């Protein structure tokens, strides 16, 4: 077993990416994730990788597009306003079916907002953000260890489906430290071979063309249907979630990421008060684990969604529960992290 | 079950973050679960920077703490801001070289350590945070001195390695300064 | 009866029929770029980034690996490619709206980094694909569908001189402005394009050739007149010549 090391969240994700075989990073500094950009600027030269600070997030995302077109593992990291700027490129990358890993360390919004932790970019992450019918695989880690594991997974899944993936973190996960165990370095020769489609030079073969474009609407529709086939497979194969003390739970708290972790404390506090609470924590935010959550609707009396937003994921909870039970919501926004006591008090009010 | 959740707070530059990091790292060496959560960015209210550290034998669900077991205050605004959160009989450690007032709470355990003066006597006022750390060890026994030493050795590398001695001395002085 | 091949198109063109309007210079420049790629023997390692604009299909016209960048972002896309594949040859092909308006930041910074890529810049002083709107390079007084009373310096500012602007950047290894409205210009332009590729191949830095071009359709004048109009109006505004040459003469 690897040795435990104490690292910051942003650095944990950066190191995990390098160990997953990522050797190209393009980014632009923005709080609260600049440490990740800085970390990559230190680490990439040490592993013969490429680090480039772009002139903007707009340029960065297009550098990703270019580098990913050549079949290499690439990533960037940013925070909310920066991810908004990248949306044009995200849409193109999804349309061109390029495996790219994005990290959004979410902060308070809208607009310039602030630099404190938030979950108010859920809609943008899971429902689009850019234009067109496309999806990203979205992971919401609760801890640094999970962030490390999901970063590696994001690269694998992006490669497997030729689809961009997103680690949706928040300022707290990015800034906090805790011990993690890193996996071994991926042997680069074991990375997936993309030579069948990547732009590597048309030597002894027909040229490869990579675009998100077709002027003929019927052809474009076919391209979209192909994306949908792929998304269907992702929905079938890639859903992840955690259930904590749900076996006998009357009340299901639904929360993800940092809030999901905090909710475990709330479950335990509620149980001390004799309330049978449990936690359903989606780990993939797209594909959302609707069916797994729906199963709990027969057993539970009440669903209670807690977010660091004014209520975004709660819409997916309602879709899953489908009117069978009441879905309540509590959230703080603007960068305020709800404390366990605060949420517990709200929960006790509901019952 | 061993479980400590403390908030260390003070002015930027007082070494509050390092105070937390060293203890968190020491906890890792003792195979405890630990989280270190900083306040970050420009602190508008009260001019304080702080970190929340949890050391526990159990998986730490919430790194956010609304009731710390201990508060370590390095300046007056921090004392007033965070003493409120302590439970009855909770521990408040004060750097009394900086804080020349008494806390409002009377139902908690208060330890006053003239950390700057002690550090000054050792020859470097900057190690006042390690004086406070020594006092924290003595007050709580959260982690061992040896683990802290290991954590310091890991943290003070390169040019800073020569500061190891004075930091360790400061911790010992802090331990001695706290009378239970 | 046996045939001898006396003349054929460049290998680096796919043979797909161009979609450009009669009298447009894109076709000439495409051919020159393809000939240069052939002559340098780099077709099998060339990666092309097409823009958004009339030449959006350019990636299909060249027989090399190709993609289309978001509007204006070709230099950033090319940067990512080149950094991932430093042994390959990467070029962008961009119009004036793409390069000089929406993509100004990307071209400036790619040039400033001395990015080892080549850019072919078509300046016809107007937006073609969207139907004749004003470009940053539109001449003063010139009427377009978004400057129906003629471009005025007061309202729209001045024609943007990209070659002059970029020529100050130390990362630029080759930079020239040219035209292709006369046969001798075509020959000259080909040499310039070759040098812009050599700047990259020899690792010297960023190379760009700005080609003053016609747009008979959106200028609203026939092709022959358009060539004359270019000569009389665009050339005085945009001085031709080599602005930067760190490549040197062919040995």
């Amino acid at each position: 077993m690897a040795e435990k090391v104490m690292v910051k969240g942003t650095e944990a994700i950066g190191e995990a990416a390098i160990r997953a075989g990522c050797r190209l990073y393009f980014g632009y500094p923005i709080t609260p994730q600049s440490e990740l950009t800085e970390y990559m600027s230190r680490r990439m030269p040490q592993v013969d990788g490429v680090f480039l600070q772009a002139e903007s997030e707009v340029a960065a995302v297009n550098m990703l597009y270019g580098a990913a077109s050549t079949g290499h593992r690439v990533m960037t990291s940013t925070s909310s306003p920066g991810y908004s700027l990248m949306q044009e490129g995200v849409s193109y990358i999804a349309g061109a079916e390029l495996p790219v890993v994005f990290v959004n360390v979410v902060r308070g919004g809208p607009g310039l907002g602030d630099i404190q932790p938030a979950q108010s970019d859920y809609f943008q992450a899971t429902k689009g953000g850019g234009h067109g019918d496309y999806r990203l695989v979205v992971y919401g880690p609760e801890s640094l260890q999970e962030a490390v594991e999901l970063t590696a997974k994001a690269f694998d899944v992006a490669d497997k489906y030729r689809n961009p993936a997103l680690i949706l973190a928040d300022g707290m996960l990015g800034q906090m430290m805790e011990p993690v165990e890193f996996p071994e370095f991926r042997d680069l020769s074991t990375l997936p071979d993309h030579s069948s489609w990547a732009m590597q030079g048309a030597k002894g073969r027909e040229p490869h063309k990579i675009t998100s474009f077709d002027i003929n609407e019927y052809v474009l529709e076919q391209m979209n249907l192909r994306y949908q086939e792929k998304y269907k497979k992702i929905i079938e194969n890639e859903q992840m979630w955690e259930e904590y003390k749900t076996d006998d739970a009357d009340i299901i708290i639904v929360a993800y990421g940092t809030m999901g972790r905090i909710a475990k404390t709330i479950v335990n506090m509620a149980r001390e008060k004799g309330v049978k609470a449990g936690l359903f924590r989606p780990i993939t935010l797209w594909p959302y684990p609707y069916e797994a959550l729906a199963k709990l609707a027969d057993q539970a009396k009440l669903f209670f969604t807690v977010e660091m937003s004014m209520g975004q994921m709660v819409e997916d909870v309602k879709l899953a529960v489908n009117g069978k039970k009441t879905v309540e919501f509590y959230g703080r926004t603007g960068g305020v992290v709800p404390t366990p006591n605060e949420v517990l008090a709200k929960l006790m009010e509901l019952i | 079950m061993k479980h400590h959740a403390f908030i260390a707070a003070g002015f930027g530059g007082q070494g509050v973050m390092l105070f937390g990091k060293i203890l968190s790292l020491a906890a890792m060496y003792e195979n405890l679960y630990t989280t270190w959560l900083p306040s970050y960015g420009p602190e508008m209210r009260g001019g304080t920077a702080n970190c929340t550290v949890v050391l526990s034998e159990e998986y730490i669900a919430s790194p956010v703490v609304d009731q710390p077991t201990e508060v370590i205050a390095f300046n007056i605004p921090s004392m007033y801001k965070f003493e409120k959160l302590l439970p009855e009989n909770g521990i408040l450690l004060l750097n009394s070289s900086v804080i020349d007032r008494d806390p409002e709470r009377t139902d908690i355990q208060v330890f006053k350590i003239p950390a700057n003066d002690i550090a000054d006597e050792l020859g470097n006022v900057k190690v006042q945070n390690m004086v406070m750390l020594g006092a924290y060890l003595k007050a709580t026994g959260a982690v061992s001195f040896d683990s802290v030493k290991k954590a310091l050795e890991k943290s003070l590398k390169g040019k800073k390695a020569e500061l190891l001695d004075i930091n360790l001395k400061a911790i010992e002085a802090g331990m001695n300064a706290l009378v239970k | 009866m046996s045939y001898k091949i006396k003349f054929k198109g460049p290998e680096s063109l796919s043979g797909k029929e161009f979609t450009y309007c009669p009298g447009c210079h894109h076709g000439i420049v495409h051919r020159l770029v393809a000939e240069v790629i052939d002559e340098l023997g780099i077709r099998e390692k060339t990666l092309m980034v097409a823009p958004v604009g009339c030449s959006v299909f350019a990636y299909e016209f060249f027989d090399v690996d190709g993609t289309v960048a978001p509007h204006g972002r070709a230099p950033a896309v090319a940067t990512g490619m080149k950094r991932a594949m430093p042994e390959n040859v990467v070029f962008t092909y961009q119009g004036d709206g793409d390069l000089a308006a929406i993509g100004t930041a990307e071209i400036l910074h790619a040039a400033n980094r001395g990015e080892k890529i080549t850019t072919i810049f078509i300046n016809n002083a107007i937006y073609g694909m969207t139907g004749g709107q004003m470009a940053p390079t539109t001449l003063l007084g010139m009427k377009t569908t978004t400057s129906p009373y003629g471009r005025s310096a007061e309202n729209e500012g001045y024609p943007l001189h990209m070659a002059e602007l970029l020529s100050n950047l130390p990362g630029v290894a080759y930079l020239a402005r040219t035209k292709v409205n006369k046969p001798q210009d075509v020959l000259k332009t080909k040499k310039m394009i070759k040098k812009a590729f050599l700047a990259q191949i020899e690792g010297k830095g960023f190379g760009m050739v700005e080609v003053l071009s016609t747009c008979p359709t959106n200028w609203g004048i026939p092709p022959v007149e358009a060539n004359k109009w270019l000569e009389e109006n665009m050339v005085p505004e945009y001085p031709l010549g080599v602005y930067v040459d760190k490549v040197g003469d062919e040995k």
Side-chain angles (χ1 to χ4, degrees):
Chain A
M1 197 130 93
E3 199 193 345
K4 275 192 176 167
V5 284
M6 191 85 178
V7 286
K8 235 180 178 183
T10 42
E11 299 184 346
I13 293 171
E15 183 62 26
I18 287 170
R19 286 172 187 245
C22 174
R23 291 293 180 276
L24 292 138
Y25 175 97
F26 303 93
Y28 186 83
I30 181 169
T31 310
Q33 71 76 44
S34 297
E35 294 88 343
L36 181 39
T37 311
E38 290 168 359
Y39 186 78
M40 291 312 227
S41 75
R42 280 200 305 277
R43 284 290 280 136
M44 278 303 187
Q46 295 169 353
V47 293
D48 296 324
V50 172
F51 167 86
L52 185 59
Q53 180 170 330
E55 61 268 29
S56 66
E57 284 91 349
V58 176
V61 73
N62 284 288
M63 291 172 184
L64 294 174
Y65 178 107
S69 299
T70 67
H72 289 77
R73 287 196 161 178
V74 298
M75 84 177 286
T76 190
S77 58
T78 184
S79 178
S80 306
Y83 192 60
S84 289
L85 268 172
M86 289 185 182
Q87 289 313 301
E88 175 196 40
V90 173
S91 168
Y92 275 69
I93 284 167
E97 297 187 84
L98 296 173
V100 171
V101 173
F102 293 91
V103 179
N104 182 0
V105 181
V106 180
R107 64 188 233 187
L112 189 53
D114 62 17
I115 57 173
Q116 301 305 321
Q119 296 183 320
S120 42
D121 297 356
Y122 180 89
F123 285 150
Q124 183 191 46
T126 62
K127 311 289 178 191
H131 57 284
D133 275 326
Y134 73 88
R135 296 289 189 175
L136 265 63
V137 184
V138 184
Y139 296 99
E142 66 148 17
S143 67
L144 301 200
Q145 188 63 48
E146 195 171 78
V148 164
E149 285 155 19
L150 290 177
T151 300
K153 183 153 186 77
F155 278 102
D156 288 338
V157 166
D159 271 334
K160 183 175 172 190
Y161 297 97
R162 274 189 68 184
N163 201 71
L166 168 66
I167 305 287
L168 195 69
D170 63 66
M172 192 167 113
L173 198 79
Q175 293 294 321
M176 70 180 281
M177 289 174 85
E178 66 181 324
V180 301
E181 281 170 42
F182 285 111
E184 292 302 312
F185 284 87
R186 179 81 181 254
D187 176 353
L188 297 185
S189 67
T190 66
L191 292 179
D193 177 13
H194 292 316
S195 62
S196 64
W197 58 265
M199 289 175 63
Q200 297 169 340
K203 190 173 183 180
R205 60 160 169 78
E206 287 298 304
H208 290 161
K209 311 290 183 183
I210 294 175
T211 72
S212 60
F213 170 60
D214 203 291
I215 205 80
N216 180 320
E217 65 269 38
Y218 296 102
V219 178
L220 186 62
E221 187 184 42
Q222 287 306 314
M223 277 166 70
N224 267 283
L225 292 174
R226 208 181 65 234
Y227 303 156
Q228 293 302 321
E229 279 302 307
K230 177 172 79 174
Y231 299 153
K232 226 168 91 184
K233 279 192 194 121
I234 297 174
I235 290 169
E236 279 164 18
N237 300 328
E238 303 299 337
Q239 292 180 34
M240 292 172 74
W241 69 92
E242 184 195 0
E243 292 184 38
Y244 180 71
K245 301 189 180 174
T246 53
D247 283 352
D248 61 342
D250 296 328
I251 294 172
I252 303 291
I253 300 176
V254 189
Y256 72 95
T258 283
M259 201 60 239
R261 180 175 187 165
I262 295 172
K264 285 181 185 166
T265 294
I266 300 161
V267 165
N268 292 331
M269 289 162 85
R271 282 186 177 258
E272 274 171 30
K273 288 184 185 280
V275 178
K276 281 188 190 165
L279 168 71
F280 185 87
R281 182 174 69 86
I283 297 171
T284 49
L285 303 174
W286 194 88
Y288 196 82
Y290 290 112
E291 283 174 22
L293 182 53
K295 275 182 195 152
L296 294 172
D298 296 326
Q299 148 203 342
K301 294 180 179 136
L302 178 72
F303 287 81
F304 181 40
T305 308
V306 188
E307 296 178 59
M308 282 142 58
S309 81
M310 285 289 90
Q312 300 195 10
M313 185 189 70
V314 66
E315 294 189 4
D316 281 326
V317 177
K318 285 181 178 170
L319 278 175
V321 173
N322 201 17
K324 278 188 183 168
K325 296 286 158 59
T326 306
V327 177
E328 296 283 353
F329 173 76
Y330 182 74
R332 296 294 298 269
T333 194
V336 180
V337 181
T339 67
N341 276 329
E342 175 185 350
V343 179
L344 182 68
K346 175 74 186 173
L347 177 65
M348 298 312 282
E349 268 174 42
L350 292 172
I351 52 177
Chain B
M1 187 197 71
K2 183 178 273 190
H3 183 88
H4 294 272
F6 67 79
I7 295 174
F11 293 121
Q14 280 186 305
V16 170
M17 297 304 188
L18 187 67
F19 176 98
K21 274 185 195 173
I22 296 294
L23 284 169
S24 196
L25 193 55
M28 184 184 89
Y29 291 137
E30 296 192 2
N31 284 320
L32 295 171
Y33 288 97
T34 181
T35 57
W36 175 88
L37 180 67
S39 66
Y40 59 90
E43 283 282 325
M44 299 302 185
R45 294 169 297 276
T48 66
N50 70 74
C51 61
T52 304
V53 174
V54 185
L55 325 170
S56 184
E57 283 173 7
E58 265 191 0
Y59 177 73
I60 298 157
S62 175
V64 177
V65 170
D66 29 25
Q67 192 177 58
T69 48
E70 301 98 21
V71 166
I72 303 91
F74 288 73
N75 66 6
I76 293 167
S78 300
M79 176 179 77
Y80 289 141
K81 185 174 176 185
F82 293 113
E83 63 165 322
K84 296 197 247 323
L85 304 180
L86 285 166
E88 201 177 313
N89 219 26
I91 292 175
L92 176 64
L93 289 164
L94 304 178
N95 180 346
S96 57
S97 307
V98 180
I99 303 173
D100 56 1
R101 296 182 210 176
D102 285 321
E104 285 170 354
R105 293 275 296 269
T106 53
D107 61 342
I108 53 176
Q109 306 177 59
V110 180
F111 299 100
K112 298 181 178 179
I113 299 97
N116 286 26
D117 299 307
I118 294 169
D120 219 9
E121 273 172 38
L122 291 170
N124 187 345
V125 72
K126 278 188 177 172
V127 297
Q128 47 81 28
N129 61 340
M130 292 299 126
V131 176
M132 294 300 288
L133 195 148
Y136 178 82
L137 290 187
K138 179 80 175 289
T140 64
V143 289
S144 72
F145 178 81
D146 284 346
S147 301
V148 169
K149 188 178 171 205
K150 200 173 159 191
L152 268 174
E153 282 165 353
K154 177 86 182 166
S155 303
L156 301 173
K157 276 186 172 166
K159 259 190 169 177
K160 288 181 182 166
E162 58 193 39
L163 296 171
L164 182 63
D165 257 3
I166 191 164
N167 275 283
L168 291 174
K169 275 186 191 146
I171 292 168
E172 281 167 355
M175 292 174 88
N176 294 332
L178 185 133
V179 185
K180 269 199 175 177
Chain C
M1 200 170 130
S2 67
Y3 291 94
K4 251 190 183 167
I5 295 173
K6 294 273 194 187
F7 181 83
K8 60 172 186 157
E11 302 228 318
S12 296
L13 284 181
S14 64
K16 193 170 175 173
E17 205 171 309
F18 290 158
T19 44
Y20 301 115
C21 304
C24 167
H25 287 175
H26 270 310
I28 300 171
V29 180
H30 277 25
R31 181 176 178 111
L32 294 180
V33 171
E35 286 180 0
V36 166
I37 292 173
D38 282 0
E39 284 171 25
L40 292 170
I42 55 173
R43 189 191 69 81
E44 292 182 335
K45 60 172 182 175
T46 296
L47 313 179
M48 171 183 197
V49 187
V52 171
C54 287
S55 47
V56 66
F57 290 111
Y59 74 98
E60 290 194 344
F61 300 144
F62 286 86
D63 204 34
V64 300
D65 283 3
T67 188
V68 183
H71 198 20
R73 318 298 175 214
V77 171
T79 296
M81 280 179 185
K82 186 71 180 187
R83 296 293 178 122
M85 308 286 282
E87 302 304 318
N88 287 55
V89 175
V90 182
F91 79 101
T92 75
Y93 189 102
Q94 303 175 258
D96 44 43
D98 196 80
L99 181 141
I102 196 167
T104 322
E106 284 76 14
I107 191 68
L108 187 90
H109 287 279
N112 189 49
R113 286 190 301 265
E115 213 60 64
K116 289 163 194 71
I117 61 172
T118 304
T119 291
I120 309 299
F121 169 35
I122 305 296
N123 176 4
N124 58 11
I126 205 158
Y127 280 64
M129 193 197 218
T130 46
Q133 294 82 12
M134 191 189 73
T137 51
T138 293
L139 305 182
L140 287 177
M142 192 172 158
K143 288 181 181 172
T144 71
T145 57
T146 52
S147 58
Y149 307 109
R151 180 179 190 166
S152 78
E154 198 187 342
N155 198 46
E156 287 103 7
Y158 298 88
L160 192 54
H161 290 224
M162 290 308 294
E164 286 86 337
L165 199 63
L166 299 181
S167 67
N168 290 317
L169 305 175
V172 177
Y174 187 79
L175 180 56
R177 184 185 284 126
T178 179
K179 61 190 172 82
V180 289
N181 59 330
K182 292 178 185 168
Q184 61 267 40
D185 293 319
V186 173
L187 296 175
K188 212 189 268 179
T189 299
K190 184 173 166 183
K191 283 186 183 145
M192 289 171 163
I193 291 173
K194 195 169 196 175
K195 279 201 168 184
F197 273 91
L198 285 171
Q200 160 177 193
I201 291 164
E202 293 173 4
K204 292 191 166 127
F206 176 79
M208 182 176 101
V209 178
E210 173 175 345
V211 187
L212 302 183
S213 305
T214 57
C215 182
T217 302
N218 288 301
W219 289 358
I221 46 177
V224 176
E225 251 177 75
N227 278 335
K228 223 170 113 190
W229 194 91
L230 181 149
E231 197 70 41
E232 287 168 2
N233 297 281
M234 287 188 72
V235 173
E237 174 69 32
Y238 296 110
L240 304 177
V242 175
Y243 286 80
V244 179
D245 185 357
K246 296 174 188 167
V247 178
D249 292 320
E250 264 185 284
K251 281 147 211 156

